[in-house]
């Protein structure tokens, strides 16, 4: 297992390099630039600005300087749109916010989704099963970019119970709506996967044998059925956490949380290469890390797996 983990970490380096190079080339291929606007700058002024940020260098030199800056100094460079701020500062300001409500959304979605799925499988073809399936389908039909304005409309404008935006240090009343908007659709998918997997395990031969031996139903479910039923769920939960971090754009926009999603969109619209590439590398690192964690947990759930 240790050798496998080391190999996966080492293989992540060329993967990230390919990600950076591909993102850099695609950004450069798009028309326009970070300093182009409806009112063009005088050529001398534009030349001085490009020299200040190294944009007058050949593209291979710009890419080399950027990659070496990340590898040796973990420096993503200065922002092209925010004066006196570099990309590290922008990430340090926005990522903790996104990570906070992304983690809470992940915990809510996984806990409630697994609970609904297990309950629906245990009480198969009963009112509880139908209720859990109905909730899952309803939540699946409302993605976060639909759920967010609906929650603001109901709980802020109609009822006045919760604030419709802001962060204020992550106070609990400002967390409820973003977490609810981000977790519902994923919760529905987790519930459906858990229900299907649990039903399959409960109808397996070794579960019938355990029941025939007179083991209590609770022991059969939690000691013999729950762990193997979680294998497909765990394989989905790893990417889901990254999806919640990278898919927080709509939450940042609707609730004005100040997270990393808005900075990511603004950097793409304004052609702020440094911010766009920095956030892309961060998302790539998160994706590789949590896929590795998922594989390790998967091996713990199923001892037959050997890496």
């Amino acid at each position: 297992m240790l050798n496998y983990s080391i190999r996966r970490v080492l293989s992540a380096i060329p993967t990230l390099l390919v990600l950076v190079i591909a993102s850099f080339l695609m950004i450069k291929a798009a028309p326009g630039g970070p300093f182009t606007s409806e009112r063009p700058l005088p050529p001398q002024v534009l030349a001085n600005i490009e020299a200040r940020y190294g944009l007058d260098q050949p593209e291979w030199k710009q890419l080399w300087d950027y990659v070496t800056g990340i590898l040796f100094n973990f420096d993503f460079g200065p922002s092209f749109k925010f004066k006196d701020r570099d990309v590290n500062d922008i990430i340090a300001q926005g990522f903790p916010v996104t990570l906070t409500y992304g983690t809470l959304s992940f915990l809510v979605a996984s806990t409630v989704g697994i609970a609904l799925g297990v309950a629906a499988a245990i009480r198969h073809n009963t009112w509880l099963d139908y209720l859990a399936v109905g909730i899952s389908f309803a939540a699946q039909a409302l993605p976060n970019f639909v759920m967010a304005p609906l929650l603001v409309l109901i709980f802020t404008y109609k009822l006045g119970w919760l604030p419709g935006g802001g962060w204020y240090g992550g106070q609990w009343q400002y967390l409820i709506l973003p977490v609810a908007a981000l977790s519902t659709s994923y919760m529905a998918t987790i519930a459906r996967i858990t229900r299907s997997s649990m039903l399959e395990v409960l109808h397996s031969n070794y579960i019938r044998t355990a029941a025939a031996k007179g083991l209590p139903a609770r022991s059969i479910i939690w000691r013999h059925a729950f762990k193997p039923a979680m294998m497909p769920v765990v394989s989905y939960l790893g990417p889901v956490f990254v999806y919640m971090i990278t898919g927080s754009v709509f939450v940042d926009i609707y609730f004005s949380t100040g997270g990393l999603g808005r900075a990511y969109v603004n950097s793409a619209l304004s052609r702020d290469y440094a911010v766009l590439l920095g956030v892309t590398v961060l998302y790539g690192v998160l994706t590789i890390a949590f896929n590795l964690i998922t594989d390790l947990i998967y091996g713990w759930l199923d001892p037959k797996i050997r890496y």
Side-chain angles (χ1 to χ4, degrees), residues 19 53 56 58 84 117 123-124 128 163 170 197 229 239 286 292:
L19 175 65
Y53 291 100
D56 58 337
D84 301 327
R123 304 300 181 188
H124 186 48
L128 183 59
S197 180
L286 289 175
L292 173 61

Side-chain angles (χ1 to χ4, degrees), residues 100-115:
T100 298
Y101 67 74
T103 303
L104 291 176
S105 301
F106 174 78
L107 293 176
V108 170
S110 57
T111 303
V112 177
I114 291 174

Side-chain angles (χ1 to χ4, degrees), residues 52-73:
R52 162 68 175 80
Y53 291 100
L55 298 179
D56 58 337
Q57 301 293 328
E59 290 189 4
W60 69 267
K61 181 66 166 55
Q62 297 179 38
L63 179 59
W64 172 260
D65 292 339
Y66 184 78
V67 172
T68 54
I70 294 176
L71 291 178
F72 298 109
N73 300 319

Side-chain angles (χ1 to χ4, degrees), residues 63-282:
L63 179 59
W64 172 260
D65 292 339
Y66 184 78
V67 172
T68 54
I70 294 176
L71 291 178
F72 298 109
N73 300 319
F74 201 70
D75 182 14
F76 293 102
S79 171
F80 296 154
K81 290 298 182 180
F82 297 95
K83 295 182 178 180
D84 301 327
R85 294 192 67 188
D86 54 25
V87 181
N88 292 40
D89 294 335
I90 296 174
I91 294 177
Q93 179 181 355
F95 184 64
V97 176
T98 303
L99 183 64
T100 298
Y101 67 74
T103 303
L104 291 176
S105 301
F106 174 78
L107 293 176
V108 170
S110 57
T111 303
V112 177
I114 291 174
L116 283 176
V118 171
I122 294 175
R123 304 300 181 188
H124 186 48
N125 289 332
T126 63
W127 67 269
L128 183 59
D129 184 18
Y130 300 143
L131 178 62
V133 172
I135 293 174
S136 299
F137 279 115
Q140 189 71 40
L142 296 173
N144 54 15
F145 59 85
V146 176
M147 182 67 73
L150 286 178
L151 292 175
V152 173
L153 181 63
I154 295 173
F155 292 99
T156 302
Y157 289 104
K158 295 294 184 181
L159 301 177
W161 291 352
L162 295 169
W167 185 247
Y168 296 96
Q171 299 179 27
W172 66 268
Q173 61 267 33
Y174 294 93
L175 286 171
I176 295 177
L177 293 186
V179 169
L182 190 57
S183 62
T184 47
S185 60
Y186 296 106
M187 175 194 71
T189 304
I190 293 171
R192 290 191 293 106
I193 295 175
T194 304
R195 177 180 178 273
S196 300
S197 180
M198 181 64 77
L199 284 175
E200 182 179 355
V201 172
L202 289 177
H203 288 87
S204 59
N205 292 330
Y206 77 93
I207 295 296
R208 294 193 185 98
T209 303
K213 289 182 177 180
L215 291 179
R218 177 176 297 181
S219 177
I220 293 175
I221 292 171
W222 298 112
R223 294 187 58 185
H224 300 282
F226 183 76
K227 189 175 178 179
M230 287 299 102
M231 292 181 63
V233 180
V234 168
S235 64
Y236 177 73
L237 288 180
V240 159
F241 182 81
V242 182
Y243 296 158
M244 288 186 176
I245 301 298
T246 59
S248 63
V249 174
F250 297 104
V251 174
D252 285 334
I253 292 175
Y254 282 115
F255 296 106
S256 301
T257 58
L260 204 57
R262 180 181 288 273
Y264 193 47
V265 173
N266 291 338
S267 64
L269 296 176
S270 62
R271 303 292 303 279
D272 195 344
Y273 303 149
V275 175
L276 188 61
L277 286 174
V279 179
T280 300
V281 171
L282 176 63

Side-chain angles (χ1 to χ4, degrees), residues 40-52:
L41 295 173
Q44 293 180 346
V45 176
L46 182 60
N48 291 332
I49 294 176
E50 290 181 346
R52 162 68 175 80

